[in-house]
Amino acid sequence: MSMLVANPAGGNTFKVWDAPLRLFHWLLVAAITAAFLSSEGDSPIAAWHMAAGWVAAVLLAFRLIWGFVGGEHARFVNFIRPSGIVAHIRGLVAGHPERTVGHNPLGALAVLALFAAVGAVLWTGIQVDAGKADEDIHEALAYGMLALVGIHVAAVLVMSLVTRDNLARAMVTGRKRTALYPGARDARVPGFMAVVLGGVVVIAAVFGITRFDPAAFSPQAHGEAGEGQGGEYTAAGHGENPDGD
């Protein structure tokens, strides 16, 4: 059975990305940007480093469930296609990559790699915060994630140029041009219960995080690993200040 619904307007564009997915995408961009800008202790927004990481954790939890219940092209089953990777690469090498309505095969791998990288950075950040891991590992993973982001952005720009399909704009508007995809129809949108489930996951994630760290979404003192009082992490609510201040 087709997972597409007719475009009643028969206009110049058709629906691809659902609104919750687009909101997730740009909020994650904002959270990662804030995390990097606040990563140094002398940053004017250093106190928000932990909060940015926790926001990214909430977003990741939402995206994982949205990959099963979200709109058509948000679902993992509809864009993870290992069998199409070779053909896609051949098209790239030949200079004529095939346009795809949703993520292309390599784009799907990039999405999964970014999710894994974000998860690894978040986990090591939690371990550093608890004094159970070296911050060098956290930083190395964070820069690895930044490299993946750079590759992703470059790939989006290149694919937009060679396919004449503005991928970044589509992630803003949620729509693509019908002229580039003859016969394309609006993608199936997420149902009401999917939206409810997504909201429940967000609420549950926030609740669980604040149970673990009551100050998670508040500004906290920020320090480099191995610095500060006796090398202990002194963020608010985490670790002890040996001087008792």
Side-chain angles (χ1 to χ4, degrees):
M1 179 180 295
S2 173
M3 297 186 69
L4 299 174
V5 295
N7 180 353
N12 297 324
T13 63
F14 64 100
K15 296 178 182 178
V16 178
W17 305 115
D18 59 70
L21 175 68
R22 287 180 282 136
L23 184 61
F24 154 81
H25 181 276
W26 296 113
L27 286 177
L28 184 62
V29 169
I32 290 175
T33 301
F36 270 98
L37 292 178
S38 62
S39 60
E40 298 296 332
D42 58 355
S43 168
I45 60 171
W48 293 100
H49 184 69
M50 291 294 296
W54 284 124
V55 168
V58 173
L59 292 169
L60 186 60
F62 166 80
R63 184 63 182 93
L64 291 177
I65 193 64
W66 204 245
F68 295 97
V69 303
E72 178 182 354
H73 299 297
R75 296 192 180 196
F76 299 135
V77 69
N78 290 333
F79 71 80
I80 299 176
R81 302 182 299 277
S83 61
I85 293 176
V86 174
H88 181 69
I89 292 176
R90 286 175 178 169
L92 285 173
V93 173
H96 302 289
E98 183 181 356
R99 296 188 185 101
T100 53
V101 175
H103 293 298
N104 64 52
L106 285 181
L109 291 183
V111 168
L112 296 180
L114 282 170
F115 289 171
V118 171
V121 172
L122 291 172
W123 176 250
T124 54
I126 293 171
Q127 296 304 303
V128 169
D129 185 39
K132 297 179 180 179
D134 192 312
E135 187 158 350
D136 288 343
I137 297 175
H138 177 63
E139 288 185 354
L141 288 171
Y143 281 109
M145 180 185 69
L146 186 61
L148 284 175
V149 170
I151 293 172
H152 173 66
V153 171
V156 167
L157 292 175
V158 170
M159 290 300 295
S160 294
L161 288 173
V162 298
T163 64
R164 299 181 181 179
D165 185 10
N166 192 324
L167 303 180
R169 182 176 61 192
M171 190 55 71
V172 173
T173 65
R175 308 183 72 91
K176 290 191 174 185
R177 290 186 292 157
T178 305
L180 298 178
Y181 301 88
R185 298 169 178 266
D186 287 341
R188 191 174 70 181
V189 299
F192 174 75
M193 290 307 300
V195 176
V196 171
L197 181 58
V200 168
V201 168
V202 169
I203 293 172
V206 171
F207 177 77
I209 288 169
T210 52
R211 292 280 291 179
F212 176 78
D213 178 5
F217 300 102
S218 302
Q220 303 180 31
H222 178 69
E224 298 289 332
E227 296 181 359
Q229 305 292 341
E232 294 191 23
Y233 189 79
T234 57
H238 304 278
E240 298 293 335
N241 186 328
D243 295 333
D245 293 335

